[in-house]
């Protein structure tokens, strides 16, 4: 009777005697090892990134100082470290933050805020009304040259501040022979007591609560800032904030890391243990890191492959509250004729313009106001057919003929003014080509510095000029107020438009929105400007992150994020 051979003995025999079997087994073992190593690495990455968000931003902040914040990327870091009286929620509304209540006087000019007793700085000290007074005066101070000084213009006393600043610069004296000096105490923001802040406005401002949510109006801990003015906003040992996170470390040229503020008023709803921002200017590098899960969020995108990136399932797009457009100078013939202005507006193929210059960062404009303003376009009229067809061109040619310039004959050569950079020049050349091809008219191109462009537009020294507006807060009034009779570059006057803007100051909600639609209709029916496209942008976000949001200005809030 033959001895029964066990499976293990048979396996050992084959492994020892059969070369092919041995090769197959070794190959399988290596493959299994690779799979196990990959799985282990994946689990290690997941374990290491638990309760942590890693993000990519395109620039390294100069400092985390709200007064001197000048770009969206830096603002993203700052809003996760600080909070104002109000904050912007995921729906774009201004809601209470460091303030747990507020009242507004009957005339709409005096706002009284009550600071939450739970609002504390990261060093444990309470946030007080005086911290807001100190910060607002610091940001509004003309000597600091903050990019947000204009946001204080409607606060009582700021006109006096600016007037005295100018006199001080010129070395002027008062009636008693004393040199005039600027006093920031003239700015009407007062601490009635440790928890009560009172602000007085010159005119009613329906957008004031939104302004109170912006970095311009964030508080600062005077005891932390004053002694260490130059280093407090970059040194983790000196940094003090009142938001969900505070600065843990900063490796120059590489990344900075935030850690939870253990004294944050709403700390029980902060889940993250770490929020790290990598500084990446290369979109391809950011994309590779995102694919490997080394970063979970990226506002840094590869420009040359943006259209391909926009098709990525992790890509999220949004419209910015702003519009790229052209100014017409109505005081110069033949642009004093609305038919000419409309013809030039309709002769532009917006989809082609975006495809060649802005890629996924533009949405063809059918009017002046973007849909980013509380879905404004969905309830508004379309003034420009943005579909890719010949109807616009045919109508443009007909309008030009009605104005006396059939096929462009006799139309004077005009100048298009823009600021000198690659993007603006490419746009200018495409517009020049479209106007020539579709209307038979010619224009010359003139590029100047940004400051010179601004000066020439203000002086009315142009025929057609580049324009663009991006609202710093979600209020359509910001876009429209630049076209009142005493406040536009186009030499345009319209009393009905002015009246509607005046009425908007005292209106709220649907009433205000309806007035804005009427005002936009007057602006567009007169073809004062030529809207090209609404600004748009996007970002990559892993589906592992939850409860974060990005505003239509591109600022990312990770305060309540979870991984």
């Amino acid at each position: 009777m033959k001895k029964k051979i066990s499976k293990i003995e048979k396996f050992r025999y084959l492994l020892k005697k059969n070369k092919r079997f041995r090769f197959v087994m070794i190959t399988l073992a290596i493959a299994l090892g690779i799979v196990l190593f990959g799985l282990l690495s994946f689990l290690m990455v997941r374990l290491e990134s638990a309760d942590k968000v890693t993000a990519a931003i395109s620039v390294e902040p100069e400092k985390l100082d709200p007064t001197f914040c000048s770009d969206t990327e830096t603002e993203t870091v700052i809003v996760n470290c600080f909070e104002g009286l109000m904050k912007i929620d995921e729906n774009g509304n201004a809601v209470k933050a460091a303030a747990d209540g507020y009242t507004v006087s009957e005339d709409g000019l005096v706002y009284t805020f009550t600071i939450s007793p739970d609002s504390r700085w990261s060093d444990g000290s309470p946030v007080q009304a005086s911290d807001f007074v100190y910060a607002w005066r610091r940001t509004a101070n003309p000597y600091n040259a903050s990019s947000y000084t204009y946001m204080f213009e409607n606060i009582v006393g700021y006109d006096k501040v600016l007037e005295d600043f100018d006199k001080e610069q010129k070395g002027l004296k008062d009636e008693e022979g004393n040199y005039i000096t600027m006093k920031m105490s003239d700015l009407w923001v007062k601490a009635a007591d440790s928890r009560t802040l009172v602000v007085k406005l010159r005119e009613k401002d329906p957008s004031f609560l939104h302004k109170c949510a912006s970095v311009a109006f964030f508080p600062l801990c005077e005891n932390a800032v004053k002694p260490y003015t130059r280093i407090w906003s970059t040194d983790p040992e000196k940094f003090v904030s009142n938001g969900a996170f505070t600065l843990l470390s900063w490796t120059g040229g590489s990344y900075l890391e935030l850690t939870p503020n253990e004294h944050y008023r709403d700390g029980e709803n902060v889940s993250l243990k770490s929020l790290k921002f990598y500084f990446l200017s290369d979109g391809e590098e950011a994309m590779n890191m995102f694919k490997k899960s080394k970063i979970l969020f990226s506002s840094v995108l590869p420009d040359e492959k943006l259209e391909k990136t926009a098709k990525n399932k992790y890509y999220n797009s949004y419209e910015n509250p702003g519009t790229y457009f052209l100014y017409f100078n109505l005081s110069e013939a033949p642009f004093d004729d609305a038919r000419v202005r409309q013809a030039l507006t309709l002769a532009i193929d917006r989809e082609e313009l975006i495809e060649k210059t802005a890629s996924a960062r533009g949405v063809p404009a059918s009017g002046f106001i973007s849909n980013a303003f509380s879905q404004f376009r969905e309830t508004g009229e379309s003034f420009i057919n943005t579909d890719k067809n010949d109807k616009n061109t045919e109508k443009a040619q007909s309008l030009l003929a009605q104005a006396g310039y059939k096929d462009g004959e006799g139309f004077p050569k005009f100048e298009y003014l823009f600021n000198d950079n690659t993007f603006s020049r490419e746009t200018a050349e495409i517009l020049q080509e479209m106007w020539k091809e579709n209307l038979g008219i010619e224009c010359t191109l003139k590029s100047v510095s940004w400051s010179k462009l601004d000066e020439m537009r203000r002086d009315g020294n142009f025929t057609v000029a580049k324009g663009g507006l991006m609202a710093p807060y979600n209020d359509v009034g910001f876009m429209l107020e630049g076209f009142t009779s005493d406040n536009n570059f186009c030499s345009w006057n319209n009393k009905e438009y002015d009246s509607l803007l005046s009425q908007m100051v005292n209106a709220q909600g649907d009433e205000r929105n309806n007035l804005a639609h009427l005002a936009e209709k007057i602006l567009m029916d007169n073809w004062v400007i030529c809207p090209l496209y609404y600004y748009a942008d996007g970002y990559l976000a892993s589906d592992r992150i939850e409860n974060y949001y990005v505003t239509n200005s591109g600022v990312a809030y990770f305060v309540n994020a979870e991984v």
Side-chain angles (χ1 to χ4, degrees), residues 310-325:
K311 296 175 183 176
N312 189 301
K313 70 175 184 177
Y314 297 113
Y315 179 80
N316 300 271
S317 63
Y318 56 91
E319 280 189 36
N320 297 128
T323 306
Y324 189 13
F325 61 93

Side-chain angles (χ1 to χ4, degrees), residues 400-417:
L400 200 65
Q402 291 172 35
Y405 304 102
K406 183 175 173 58
D407 298 327
E409 283 188 33
F411 196 90
K413 184 180 289 188
F414 65 98
E415 183 178 85
Y416 174 63
L417 182 70

Side-chain angles (χ1 to χ4, degrees), residues 360-428:
R361 291 198 170 100
V363 176
S366 59
F368 178 50
I369 307 299
S370 161
N371 209 38
F373 292 96
S374 304
Q375 307 302 306
F376 189 88
R377 285 263 65 82
E378 291 183 10
T379 56
E381 183 178 339
S382 290
F383 303 95
I384 303 167
N385 184 350
T386 58
D387 293 337
K388 208 174 180 69
N389 57 48
D390 296 328
K391 291 182 180 178
N392 282 347
T393 302
E394 291 172 5
K395 186 171 183 179
Q397 291 169 347
S398 174
L399 286 164
L400 200 65
Q402 291 172 35
Y405 304 102
K406 183 175 173 58
D407 298 327
E409 283 188 33
F411 196 90
K413 184 180 289 188
F414 65 98
E415 183 178 85
Y416 174 63
L417 182 70
F418 61 98
N419 60 307
D420 192 14
N421 61 39
T422 303
F423 167 77
S424 296
R425 176 164 289 282
E426 288 176 351
T427 300

Side-chain angles (χ1 to χ4, degrees), residues 56-60 73 278-281 299-300:
I57 55 178
S58 62
V59 296
E60 178 173 5
E73 310 284 43
Y278 286 94
F279 316 135
L280 301 174
S281 58
S299 60
V300 188

